[in-house]
Amino acid sequence: MATTKQDYYEILGVSPGASAAEIKKAFRRLAMQYHPDRNQEAGAEERFKAINEAYEVLSDPQKRALYDRYGHAGPENPFARGFEGAAPFTGFGDIFDAFFGGATARRRGPQRGGDIRVGVDLDFEEALFGGEREIEFTSIETCSACNGLRAEPGTEPERCPACGGAGEVRRVQQSIFGQFVNVATCDRCGGEGRWIPKPCKACRGAGRERRRRRVALTIPPGVDEGTQMRLTGEGEVGVRGGGRGNLYVSFHVREHEVFARDGDDLILELPLNMASAALGTDVEIPLPGGETTGVKIPPGTQPGEILVLRGKGAPRLRGGGRGDLLVRVRVVTPKKLTQRQRELLQELGETMAGDAGDGRGFLDKIKDALS
């Protein structure tokens, strides 16, 4: 009995009307959750494959449109489109091919390897300034025992006895239209023209095996949370001489205990006492990476005021240069005072009576308005 494939929207947990951004966000979350390198539970690898398959279709506007219209049958079903403008039959030859097999059998050619997605955790400064990292992940590689030949070491593939190495078999059929030659892919060799009498025991004749692999990764300065890199040709090995797939690396950046980041800008909350905020001062701020920068606090700086230091932020991943450093001032009111500090503040308060910052003048205005 045929099984019904799960709906791609259900796999990603989004609605059929979801935007491309929502689909991408759902895919990233689920891919991180069910990646075989992170999740060793039973069924996680199959779930991960289903998530990738769903995203491959729904992230492509054309494939998604076909899926929304035809479901899983899609363009693979030659009768799914009926007889619309994009009909599957282009002439009488195609009609005969569909009913009598035709001469359409082909050898199986090279097939590109699958893509791999890996998540990498970075410290805050490592994301800012980049560096070198070696990452390890599970990949499908050429069998180390048979070197991809699929035959048991000491033996070699032989010419297929069923098709004579042609990869296809021809059968003559009689029909109401006359005699037809039906050309079909050879069942024994699968169209390759070679037969494996003794398949490799290590890979069971597949020529590929799953194993751990290490790749050197150069992290460019300025990567941020969610940044993705593509390493072309570093994915899984292909089939029948096909090229490797690609390796996609997504970065997760750990938070810094002092600095925050907004795109290419760095944000720092600077605590100041009341005297420094009122009188102004010069402070030296240490930056990530060991650099320091001077900040001039102007007299009368108010709580929450932001001072902008141009070019002192994070390196720009694209376009060069650096973002800005945003210094947000936080005026700290002391909770404990010495006797001398209390006397000085009381004396200062008396000299400032009636000023806007004192609050008394504002209260007097309220009294006058209510009288």
Side-chain angles (χ1 to χ4, degrees), residues 246-261:
N246 298 326
L247 173 63
Y248 292 90
V249 180
S250 297
F251 294 104
H252 170 67
V253 182
R254 301 185 185 96
E255 293 184 357
H256 196 276
E257 58 185 46
V258 176
F259 290 92
R261 186 170 172 181

Side-chain angles (χ1 to χ4, degrees), residues 176-216:
I176 59 175
F177 295 101
Q179 190 179 70
F180 291 90
V181 177
N182 181 19
V183 183
T185 301
C186 177
D187 294 334
R188 173 167 289 190
C189 67
E192 294 186 25
R194 299 191 306 168
W195 178 57
I196 312 294
K198 295 183 179 180
C200 173
K201 296 178 182 178
C203 64
R204 298 180 180 178
R208 305 191 301 169
E209 62 181 357
R210 182 178 293 275
R211 64 173 183 262
R212 302 293 290 177
R213 178 164 163 243
R214 293 177 178 269
V215 169

Side-chain angles (χ1 to χ4, degrees), residues 248-292:
Y248 292 90
V249 180
S250 297
F251 294 104
H252 170 67
V253 182
R254 301 185 185 96
E255 293 184 357
H256 196 276
E257 58 185 46
V258 176
F259 290 92
R261 186 170 172 181
D262 182 13
D264 297 325
D265 296 333
L266 296 181
I267 302 173
L268 173 67
E269 191 170 274
L270 178 64
L272 287 178
N273 60 49
M274 296 183 297
S276 297
L279 300 175
T281 185
D282 293 328
V283 296
E284 195 75 12
I285 297 179
L287 298 176
E291 183 183 356
T292 61

Side-chain angles (χ1 to χ4, degrees), residues 49 112 117 262 314 346 349:
K49 291 180 180 178
R112 177 179 173 273
R117 299 181 185 274
D262 182 13
Q346 287 177 342

Side-chain angles (χ1 to χ4, degrees), residues 42-343:
E45 184 174 351
E46 294 300 319
R47 181 70 187 276
F48 180 75
K49 291 180 180 178
I51 292 167
N52 274 284
E53 180 182 334
Y55 181 68
E56 182 180 358
V57 173
L58 299 185
S59 62
D60 186 303
Q62 294 182 346
K63 292 181 180 179
R64 183 179 180 182
L66 287 172
Y67 176 76
D68 289 341
R69 188 169 186 179
Y70 305 115
H72 287 289
E76 291 80 16
N77 183 348
F79 300 97
R81 305 184 205 179
F83 293 92
E84 296 176 359
F89 303 119
T90 57
F92 286 104
D94 292 333
I95 297 176
F96 289 137
D97 290 347
F99 284 97
F100 302 107
T104 58
R106 297 179 181 177
R107 286 175 176 262
R108 292 184 181 179
Q111 181 179 340
R112 177 179 173 273
D115 295 334
I116 300 175
R117 299 181 185 274
V118 177
V120 174
D121 294 333
L122 299 178
D123 291 331
F124 191 84
E125 293 191 14
E126 192 177 10
L128 288 181
F129 305 109
E132 301 292 330
R133 176 81 72 89
E134 189 176 58
I135 58 177
E136 184 178 1
F137 51 91
T138 300
S139 175
I140 295 179
E141 300 295 317
T142 301
C143 176
S144 55
C146 68
N147 199 29
L149 292 178
R150 303 188 299 151
E152 183 69 14
T155 68
E156 292 185 359
E158 299 177 0
R159 187 171 64 176
C160 177
C163 65
E168 58 188 33
V169 291
R170 295 171 176 264
R171 299 183 181 91
V172 178
Q173 293 181 339
Q174 295 290 338
S175 71
I176 59 175
F177 295 101
Q179 190 179 70
F180 291 90
V181 177
N182 181 19
V183 183
T185 301
C186 177
D187 294 334
R188 173 167 289 190
C189 67
E192 294 186 25
R194 299 191 306 168
W195 178 57
I196 312 294
K198 295 183 179 180
C200 173
K201 296 178 182 178
C203 64
R204 298 180 180 178
R208 305 191 301 169
E209 62 181 357
R210 182 178 293 275
R211 64 173 183 262
R212 302 293 290 177
R213 178 164 163 243
R214 293 177 178 269
V215 169
L217 175 65
T218 299
I219 303 169
V223 299
D224 201 356
E225 176 70 26
T227 299
Q228 181 172 274
M229 282 182 59
R230 182 182 67 187
L231 279 67
T232 304
E234 293 292 352
E236 295 179 345
V237 71
V239 180
R240 293 181 292 277
R244 282 185 175 273
N246 298 326
L247 173 63
Y248 292 90
V249 180
S250 297
F251 294 104
H252 170 67
V253 182
R254 301 185 185 96
E255 293 184 357
H256 196 276
E257 58 185 46
V258 176
F259 290 92
R261 186 170 172 181
D262 182 13
D264 297 325
D265 296 333
L266 296 181
I267 302 173
L268 173 67
E269 191 170 274
L270 178 64
L272 287 178
N273 60 49
M274 296 183 297
S276 297
L279 300 175
T281 185
D282 293 328
V283 296
E284 195 75 12
I285 297 179
L287 298 176
E291 183 183 356
T292 61
T293 186
V295 180
K296 186 175 184 62
I297 308 297
T301 297
Q302 300 300 308
E305 190 168 335
I306 295 178
L307 308 176
V308 180
L309 279 68
R310 303 294 181 187
K312 295 297 182 180
R316 291 190 174 94
L317 187 60
R318 298 178 181 84
R322 298 176 64 171
D324 302 328
L325 173 62
L326 309 180
V327 181
R328 182 184 292 115
V329 176
R330 177 167 60 89
V331 179
V332 180
T333 303
K335 295 182 178 180
K336 294 183 180 181
L337 299 171
T338 65
Q339 182 61 33
R340 179 57 179 160
Q341 289 172 335
R342 184 179 297 276
E343 292 172 356

